[in-house]
Each structure stands twice: as structure tokens, then as C-alpha cells.
């Protein structure tokens, strides 16, 4: 029997003594056996019609067969319990033993009655179950899916590793074939202790790979931390010394600029051009050539031109 605090849709009810008193559960007793369960509503038309048939001799025939009982229920309006499906026949005299009972409300309408189904129940042998609603099934499935996804995400996070050289990778699953083959080997084919030591020494590279990945991860984390703290500081053209946060310029760069802007050396040698006979006389109006600069850098004195004879006027 079920407790009072247990939800109605989680109850598994059975009453062997009531089933034995009724002569077993069959077509004529399945509704009356269901009336003994906590799923039954005492205010339904089934309870009213059954009580009237017990105290009225003229209505006693209504409870003799299920067809007559359900035929009278269909003439009434209100809450009722009807056998919706009978056990399916799988062979001569053989069935599944599953009865489906609907809890429904009937309203008299023309040309057909209006029937609203509230719940469904299964009678399997002597046990009665309440069928879950569609909302309960969907909510249960969603909870199952979400819990499975949460476990899957946690498993993938535990199997994922990261290293600067490889990035995000997943650990390989341990091989099971080697253990199975070793278990199937005979005693005569078992290796000697030295061979066993050699086989045990083979997986050592995996340990070295794991040991190398740990310093790489720490180094990458340290480098990233330095970048986050001092990422806004940039180096100039001048070389710097010190450590991040305490940089010092080794030179101002003035010497390099002076070397780049130095003047070329002056030449102190002069070459006189040779006079040839084919040269033309200088014109009177022609301007003189520019005076060359002395080796010391000072301009030479200008030469005076000689005046022609008789060109100057005489005083009278």
C-alpha cells in the first residue's frame, strides 16, 4: 500500500485479497477492482450507479456485466471511469493483461456527447499505475538531458589541457587492447623479468612530455602576466637597460646625430686652367668671375681695373 505523502502519480497500488474475493480480474470486475484503489473518485457516476444497484433490485442487472454498466454510464452526464482499451489478444486465450481506464467528464451534446479525458490508468495483473502527463514526461526528459550534458562538459574540461606549443588538446584515452592481449597470453609466452622491465620503461617519454608541458604553461602564464602589467610600455630607438617597470636609457642619441650631420673636408689645392690661342677677348660689359676663396676661408681682395689713356677728362 502507498503512503499518504507519496505523490498520486508515483503510487503502485494492488490488493490481492480484493482480487481474490471478486474471482480474479476480468472484464466484469476490472472497474469494481479499480474502485478500491486510491485513484478512484467517490463522487463519480460509477460510485453513484454502483450504490444504487446494490440497494435497488430493479438495477441489480446493471452491475452483472461491464457492457450494461458502461451503457448506463453513457446515458448520464458527469465524471466517470470507462475502460478505454482491453488486453490485446496475442493468441488463442492469450493476452497482454493490460487494461487502460480513462477518467473523463461527459457532457450531453447533440449529435454526440462531449468527452474530456483527465487522466489514464493501467491495470497490469493486480497492480494499478497512473499514466504520467505529457508535461511530466517532457520535464523529466529535459532534466535528464541537462544533467547528462553537465556531466559531459565536466568530463571534457578534465580531459582538456593547454600548452604554448600545442594549444588546447585533449588527453588520449588509455589503450585497453594491450591488457586484453596480455591476459589471453599463455604462461609459456610470458616475458622474463628483464623484458618486463624493458616494457615498463617504454612509457617514460609520456612522463617527460607531461613534465615539459608544466614549465611551458608556467612560462606562458608568467609572460602573459608581464604583458598585462607592462604591455603599454614601448621601446625607443635608443637602447634601454633594466627590467620591466625600471627601464633606463643607455644614451641620449646625440653623438649619433652629430656624426650623421658632420661637414665634409675642404680641399686646399687649386688648378690653373691653361690659356689657349682660341680664346675670345673679354667683353667690356661682362661681369668678372667670382673671387675664389682662400684656403683660410676668407675672400681675396678685389682687383682694380686700369683706366685707358685719355679716357679721363682734364681740367681746363
Amino acid at each position: 500500500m502507498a503512503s499518504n505523502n507519496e505523490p498520486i502519480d508515483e503510487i503502485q497500488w494492488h490488493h490481492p485479497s480484493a482480487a481474490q474475493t471478486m474471482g480474479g480480474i476480468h472484464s466484469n470486475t476490472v472497474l469494481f477492482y479499480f474502485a478500491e484503489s486510491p485513484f478512484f473518485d467517490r463522487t463519480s457516476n460509477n460510485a453513484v450507479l454502483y450504490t444504487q444497484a446494490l440497494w435497488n433490485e430493479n438495477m441489480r442487472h446493471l452491475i452483472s456485466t461491464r457492457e450494461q454498466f458502461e451503457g448506463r454510464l453513457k446515458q448520464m452526464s458527469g465524471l466517470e471511469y470507462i475502460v478505454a482499451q482491453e488486453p490485446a489478444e496475442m493468441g488463442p486465450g492469450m493476452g497482454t493483461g493490460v487494461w487502460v481506464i480513462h477518467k473523463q467528464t461527459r457532457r450531453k451534446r447533440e449529435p454526440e456527447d462531449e468527452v474530456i479525458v483527465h487522466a489514464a490508468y493501467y491495470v497490469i495483473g493486480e497492480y494499478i499505475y497512473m499514466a504520467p502527463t505529457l508535461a511530466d514526461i517532457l520535464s523529466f526528459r529535459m532534466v535528464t538531458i541537462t544533467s547528462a550534458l553537465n556531466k559531459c562538459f565536466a568530463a571534457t574540461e578534465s580531459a582538456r589541457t593547454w600548452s604554448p606549443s600545442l594549444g588546447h588538446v585533449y588527453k588520449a584515452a588509455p589503450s585497453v587492447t594491450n591488457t586484453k592481449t596480455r591476459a589471453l597470453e599463455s604462461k609459456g609466452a610470458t616475458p622474463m623479468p628483464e623484458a618486463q622491465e624493458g616494457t615498463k620503461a617504454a612509457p617514460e617519454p609520456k612522463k617527460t612530455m607531461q613534465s615539459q608541458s608544466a614549465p611551458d604553461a608556467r612560462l606562458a602564464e608568467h609572460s602573459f602576466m608581464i604583458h598585462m602589467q607592462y604591455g603599454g610600455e614601448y621601446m625607443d630607438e635608443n637602447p634601454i637597460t633594466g627590467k620591466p617597470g625600471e627601464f633606463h636609457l643607455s644614451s641620449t642619441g646625440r653623438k649619433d646625430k652629430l656624426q650623421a650631420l658632420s661637414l665634409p673636408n675642404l680641399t686646399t689645392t687649386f688648378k690653373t686652367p691653361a690659356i689657349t690661342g682660341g680664346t675670345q677677348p673679354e667683353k667690356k660689359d661682362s661681369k668678372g668671375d667670382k673671387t675664389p676663396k682662400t684656403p683660410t676661408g676668407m675672400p681675396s681682395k678685389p682687383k682694380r681695373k686700369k683706366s685707358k689713356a685719355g679716357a679721363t677728362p682734364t681740367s681746363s
Side-chain angles (χ1 to χ4, degrees):
M1 300 296 291
S3 60
N4 296 329
N5 297 330
E6 190 174 1
I8 192 67
D9 57 347
E10 298 180 5
I11 293 177
Q12 179 185 357
W13 184 87
H14 70 287
H15 202 313
S17 59
Q20 186 176 3
T21 303
M22 295 178 185
I25 300 174
H26 47 83
S27 177
N28 296 331
T29 59
V30 63
L31 288 177
F32 304 127
Y33 179 73
F34 180 82
E36 301 293 333
S37 67
F39 306 107
F40 186 74
D41 191 353
R42 305 299 173 182
T43 61
S44 62
N45 293 339
N46 296 57
V48 174
L49 185 59
Y50 182 76
T51 304
Q52 292 177 356
L54 288 178
W55 297 98
N56 190 351
E57 294 293 337
N58 297 328
M59 301 177 62
R60 185 67 61 87
H61 66 281
L62 297 177
I63 59 175
S64 59
T65 60
R66 181 173 63 88
E67 289 76 9
Q68 293 182 1
F69 188 77
E70 290 183 349
R72 186 58 182 269
L73 287 176
K74 292 178 181 180
Q75 297 177 3
M76 305 169 65
S77 62
L79 184 64
E80 62 184 13
Y81 294 90
I82 297 294
V83 176
Q85 293 183 9
E86 299 180 357
E89 293 291 337
M90 302 178 63
M94 299 175 59
T96 57
V98 180
W99 300 80
V100 181
I101 298 177
H102 281 179
K103 177 183 179 181
Q104 59 189 20
T105 299
R106 182 182 299 274
R107 296 175 182 176
K108 306 304 289 184
R109 296 287 187 273
E110 294 294 339
E112 295 182 355
D113 297 344
E114 180 183 358
V115 178
I116 301 174
V117 179
H118 303 290
Y121 305 90
Y122 300 100
V123 181
I124 305 174
E126 296 179 353
Y127 293 89
I128 301 177
Y129 308 88
M130 180 178 180
T133 60
L134 180 60
D136 294 337
I137 294 174
L138 292 178
S139 62
F140 176 76
R141 295 298 183 186
M142 292 177 65
V143 170
T144 305
I145 292 171
T146 51
S147 61
L149 288 176
N150 291 333
K151 294 179 181 178
C152 178
F153 293 150
T156 53
E157 286 294 333
S158 61
R160 186 180 65 175
T161 58
W162 182 86
S163 64
S165 58
L166 300 177
H168 291 280
V169 294
Y170 291 90
K171 299 178 182 178
S175 58
V176 189
T177 56
N178 295 334
T179 57
K180 291 183 178 181
T181 53
R182 289 180 182 177
L184 295 175
E185 289 179 355
S186 61
K187 294 182 179 180
T190 53
M192 297 299 291
E194 297 180 355
Q196 290 181 356
E197 292 178 358
T199 54
K200 290 182 180 178
E204 288 183 358
K206 295 183 179 179
K207 295 182 179 179
T208 57
M209 292 292 291
Q210 294 178 358
S211 61
Q212 290 178 0
S213 61
D216 293 343
R218 288 196 297 268
L219 179 60
E221 183 179 359
H222 182 66
S223 302
F224 185 71
M225 181 182 67
I226 293 176
H227 172 71
M228 293 298 294
Q229 291 180 354
Y230 311 106
E233 299 182 3
Y234 297 93
M235 297 176 62
D236 298 333
E237 296 178 356
N238 304 327
I240 59 175
T241 58
K243 61 181 181 179
E246 296 180 1
F247 290 129
H248 302 284
L249 297 175
S250 61
S251 64
T252 59
R254 182 179 296 178
K255 296 180 180 180
D256 299 338
K257 291 181 180 180
L258 290 176
Q259 291 178 2
L261 298 175
S262 60
L263 296 174
N265 298 328
L266 295 175
T267 57
T268 57
T269 59
F270 295 94
K271 294 181 180 180
T272 57
I275 300 174
T276 59
T279 59
Q280 297 179 358
E282 296 181 356
K283 296 180 179 181
K284 295 180 180 180
D285 297 335
S286 63
K287 297 181 180 179
D289 298 335
K290 295 182 180 179
T291 57
K293 295 182 179 179
T294 58
T296 57
M298 297 299 292
S300 60
K301 293 181 180 180
K303 295 181 181 181
R304 295 181 180 178
K305 294 182 181 181
K306 296 180 179 182
S307 61
K308 295 180 181 182
T312 58
T314 58
S315 60
S316 57

